C-alpha cells in the first residue's frame, strides 16, 4: 500500500473533502467505497491523523467475519470517549463483512447519536454489499466518496511511470515496487489482489453455487477484454455453465468487486440497452496482462495485442473516471459498424474511436453514429486524433 505522503493529488482531494465533511455540526455518515488496494485505508488514516481529537479505527478484515456486536463494541468505546473529549471520529473498515451491518448502524445512528458526537466513516471494497445496505437501510443518512483504480496521471506522479509502463502494469500502487520482476508482479496481482477480491468480496459474501464457474467466467472476461460476447457463446465455452441467467448474475458479482464491467449497447433508450450482449471491460489493464503469462516486451512486439491493450486502457479509464464524474459508458454497433465507446451525461453524448497507431480497424462507425445522433461529439483517440497521453490526462467533462 502506498504511504500517506504518496497519495496523488486527486485522492488527496478526497481526503480533504472527507475531513471537511466531518467537521460539520450535523454530519452525515461518510462512506468511502472502492476496489481493494487503491488507498482507502491510507486515506481514512490520514483523516484520522489530521482530525486533532479522539478517534477510533477498527477493521473487520479478519478470517472470520465479526457480528454486529463488533460494531456495538466500537460504538460504545466511541461513546465513552465523547463524555470527556467531545466529538469522536469512528472509522469502521471493511464494513461489508459484517452481516446485518446496515440495520445495526441505522439503529445506533438514530437512537444514540442525537448530539452528533460520533462522526462515523465506513469503508468498503464490495459495492454490491455496501450500496445495498445504504439504499435499503441508510437512505438519506450518508454521503459517498469513491476511490477508483489509479489513473495514469496518478501512477506517473507517484512512481514516474511513462505511458507504456502504465498500459502493461496498470494502476495498482501496491504492486508498483515489483515492476522490475514481471513474473513476481503478475503472481502478486493474481494471488494477492484478484483472488482476494474473488474470495473475500464475492465468495465469502454471496451465495455462489459454482465457484469454479465464476472464476472461469472472470478469466474469460479478461481473455475477451474489449470484445462483445453473448452469454450464449460463453455457454459453449464453459463446462457446467447452467444458463444465461447464472452467467449474468456472476457478471454482476464481478462488477461489484470492481474487477470487470459489462458495457451495454447504446440504443438511445434504457429498455433496449439493458437487453444487449455485454462488451467485457476490465477495470484495470493489470488484470489482463498479469493473467496472460506474457512479458511486457511480448505485448509490445505484437501490434494487434498492443492495440487491444490500448483500447482496454481507454475503456478502463472511461469506466473508472465515469464513475467519478457521473458519466455513463456504453458501446454501439449497427450491422458491421461499431463505435468503441459512447459517453452520456444528461442530454450530452460523445462517441469515441480508439486508434492505437499499430494497426487499422475496419468498419469504423463514428460517421454512422453521428447520423443517428447529430448533436453528439466525435473523438478519435490516437493516430490522427487526440494523442493517447493527452486523453489519459483529460477529464471526461472535456469530451462531452
Amino acid at each position: 500500500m502506498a504511504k500517506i505522503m504518496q497519495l496523488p493529488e486527486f485522492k488527496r482531494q478526497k481526503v480533504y473533502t472527507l475531513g471537511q465533511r466531518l467537521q460539520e455540526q450535523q454530519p452525515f455518515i461518510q462512506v468511502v467505497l472502492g476496489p481493494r488496494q487503491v488507498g482507502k485505508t491510507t486515506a481514512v488514516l490520514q483523516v484520522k491523523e489530521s482530525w486533532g481529537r479522539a478517534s477510533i479505527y477498527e477493521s473487520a478484515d479478519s478470517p472470520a467475519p465479526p457480528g454486529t456486536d463488533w460494531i456495538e463494541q466500537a460504538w460504545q468505546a466511541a461513546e465513552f470517549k465523547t463524555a470527556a473529549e467531545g466529538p469522536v471520529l469512528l472509522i469502521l473498515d471493511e464494513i461489508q463483512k459484517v452481516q446485518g451491518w446496515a440495520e445495526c448502524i441505522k439503529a445506533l445512528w438514530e437512537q444514540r447519536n442525537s448530539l452528533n458526537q460520533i462522526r462515523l466513516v465506513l469503508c468498503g471494497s464490495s459495492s454490491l454489499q455496501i450500496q445495498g445496505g445504504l439504499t435499503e437501510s441508510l437512505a438519506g443518512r450518508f454521503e459517498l466518496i469513491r476511490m477508483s483504480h489509479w489513473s495514469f496521471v496518478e501512477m506517473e506522479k507517484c512512481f514516474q511511470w511513462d505511458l507504456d509502463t502504465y498500459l502493461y502494469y496498470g494502476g495498482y500502487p501496491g504492486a508498483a515496487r515489483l515492476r522490475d520482476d514481471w513474473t513476481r508482479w503478475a503472481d502478486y496481482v493474481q494471488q494477492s489482489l484478484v483472488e482476494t477480491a474473488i474470495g473475500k468480496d464475492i465468495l465469502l459474501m454471496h451465495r455462489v453455487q459454482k465457484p469454479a464457474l465464476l472464476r472461469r467466467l472472470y478469466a474469460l472476461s479478461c481473455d475477451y477484454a474489449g470484445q462483445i460476447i453473448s452469454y450464449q457463446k460463453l455457454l459453449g465455452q464453459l463446462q457446467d455453465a447452467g444458463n444465461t441467467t447464472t452467467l449474468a448474475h456472476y457478471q454482476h458479482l464481478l462488477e461489484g468487486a470492481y474487477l470487470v464491467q459489462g458495457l451495454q449497447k447504446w440504443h438511445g433508450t434504457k429498455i433496449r440497452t439493458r437487453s444487449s450482449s455485454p462488451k467485457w471491460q476490465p477495470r484495470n489493464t493489470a488484470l489482463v496482462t498479469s493473467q496472460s503469462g506474457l512479458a511486457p516486451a511480448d505485448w509490445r512486439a505484437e501490434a494487434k495485442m498492443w492495440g487491444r491493450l490500448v483500447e482496454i486502457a481507454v475503456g478502463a479509464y472511461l469506466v473508472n473516471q465515469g464513475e467519478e464524474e457521473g458519466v455513463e459508458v456504453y458501446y454501439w454497433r449497427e450491422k458491421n459498424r461499431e463505435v468503441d465507446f459512447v459517453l452520456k451525461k444528461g442530454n450530452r453524448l460523445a462517441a469515441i474511436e480508439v486508434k492505437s497507431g499499430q494497426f487499422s480497424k475496419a468498419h469504423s462507425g463514428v460517421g454512422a453514429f453521428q447520423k443517428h445522433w447529430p448533436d453528439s461529439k466525435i473523438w478519435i483517440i490516437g493516430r490522427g486524433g487526440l494523442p493517447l497521453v493527452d486523453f489519459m490526462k483529460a477529464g471526461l467533462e472535456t469530451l462531452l
Side-chain angles (χ1 to χ4, degrees):
M1 175 56 59
K3 295 179 182 179
I4 289 177
M5 70 285 294
Q6 288 183 315
L7 279 176
E9 181 178 352
F10 186 72
K11 288 182 171 55
R12 285 203 306 270
Q13 181 61 40
K14 300 293 183 85
V15 171
Y16 176 78
T17 299
L18 177 56
Q20 291 293 106
R21 289 179 178 179
L22 291 170
Q23 297 293 341
E24 295 174 359
Q25 293 301 310
Q26 294 185 327
F28 291 92
I29 298 170
Q30 300 299 318
V31 182
V32 181
L33 186 62
R36 288 183 172 271
Q37 298 292 309
V38 298
K40 299 186 303 298
T41 300
T42 300
V44 296
L45 289 179
Q46 181 168 338
V47 171
K48 181 176 180 291
E49 284 190 2
S50 63
W51 170 246
R53 286 176 277 186
S55 62
I56 296 173
Y57 170 85
E58 298 288 348
S59 175
D61 195 12
S62 58
T68 54
D69 57 325
W70 173 81
I71 298 175
E72 292 171 355
Q73 289 169 8
W75 192 277
Q76 288 172 1
E79 283 182 324
F80 179 78
K81 287 179 177 286
T82 63
E85 304 182 53
V88 172
L89 173 60
L90 175 59
I91 301 171
L92 301 179
D93 205 351
E94 296 294 337
I95 190 66
Q96 78 278 356
K97 292 191 172 185
V98 182
Q99 187 72 26
W101 67 270
E103 295 81 1
C104 181
I105 292 290
K106 178 184 178 182
L108 291 169
W109 185 261
E110 291 183 344
Q111 298 170 16
R112 294 164 60 177
N113 199 35
S114 59
L115 299 178
N116 298 311
Q117 291 293 83
I118 294 180
R119 309 300 169 88
L120 183 60
V121 177
L122 307 176
C123 292
S125 56
S126 174
S127 67
L128 296 181
Q129 292 293 108
I130 294 291
Q131 292 180 333
L134 293 177
T135 55
E136 291 171 12
S137 300
L138 297 175
R141 300 171 179 85
F142 72 93
E143 291 181 294
L144 199 60
I145 294 179
R146 297 184 181 276
M147 299 277 283
S148 62
H149 289 271
W150 283 34
S151 67
F152 166 58
V153 171
E154 293 171 330
M155 296 300 284
E156 178 188 44
K157 288 184 177 180
C158 288
F159 303 106
Q160 293 74 56
W161 282 10
D162 60 21
L163 185 56
D164 281 8
T165 300
Y166 179 76
L167 290 176
Y168 180 87
Y169 288 99
Y172 283 119
R177 68 186 188 280
L178 302 176
R179 172 194 164 186
D180 293 336
D181 186 344
W182 72 268
T183 56
R184 187 180 171 199
W185 167 85
D187 185 66
Y188 175 86
V189 171
Q190 287 297 306
Q191 298 304 319
S192 295
L193 301 181
V194 175
E195 185 53 37
T196 299
I198 290 177
K200 290 189 175 183
D201 294 336
I202 299 179
L203 300 181
L204 189 65
M205 308 305 302
H206 301 272
R207 185 176 179 180
V208 176
Q209 294 183 336
K210 301 176 181 180
L213 174 62
L214 183 139
R215 286 188 168 92
R216 182 58 184 148
L217 180 64
Y218 164 75
L220 283 177
S221 72
C222 291
D223 289 342
Y224 288 116
Q227 298 184 45
I228 303 163
I229 304 294
S230 70
Y231 292 130
Q232 288 294 340
K233 183 174 180 179
L234 287 174
L235 285 174
Q237 300 198 32
L238 292 167
Q239 294 182 349
D240 193 29
N243 54 44
T244 58
T245 302
T246 300
L247 295 184
H249 174 56
Y250 286 0
Q251 175 196 323
H252 187 53
L253 296 180
L254 292 169
E255 290 175 345
Y258 297 98
L259 293 172
V260 298
Q261 188 72 27
L263 301 184
Q264 297 300 311
K265 180 179 177 182
W266 171 253
H267 291 285
T269 65
K270 289 284 187 182
I271 295 175
R272 295 188 63 195
T273 293
R274 290 173 182 165
S275 65
S276 61
S277 298
K279 178 176 183 177
W280 293 97
Q281 178 57 60
R283 299 284 294 251
N284 197 315
T285 54
L287 301 174
V288 177
T289 53
S290 65
Q291 179 180 287
S292 70
L294 298 174
D298 297 327
W299 279 87
R300 201 69 180 89
E302 291 287 337
K304 271 197 170 183
M305 285 177 52
W306 192 254
R308 174 171 163 257
L309 192 60
V310 168
E311 184 175 330
I312 294 168
V314 169
Y317 181 66
L318 292 174
V319 170
N320 294 327
Q321 194 64 25
E323 201 168 64
E324 297 276 359
E325 299 184 33
V327 177
E328 300 173 61
V329 184
Y330 304 90
Y331 74 91
W332 180 76
R333 172 182 280 181
E334 184 179 83
K335 296 181 180 178
N336 65 342
R337 300 289 179 182
E338 183 180 339
V339 167
D340 292 326
F341 303 102
V342 175
L343 306 183
K344 179 183 183 296
K345 185 171 185 179
N347 59 0
R348 292 177 290 165
L349 208 61
I352 295 178
E353 178 74 13
V354 183
K355 295 184 181 294
S356 71
Q358 302 296 316
F359 69 103
S360 298
K361 290 183 183 178
H363 312 307
S364 172
V366 290
F369 182 90
Q370 197 164 42
K371 287 183 179 179
H372 284 283
W373 293 279
D375 293 332
S376 62
K377 291 187 177 180
I378 302 296
W379 293 94
I380 305 299
I381 308 300
R383 186 182 56 197
L386 180 67
L388 179 62
V389 68
D390 292 341
F391 165 79
M392 297 295 278
K393 294 183 177 183
L396 302 194
E397 287 285 350
T398 64
L399 304 177
L400 287 161

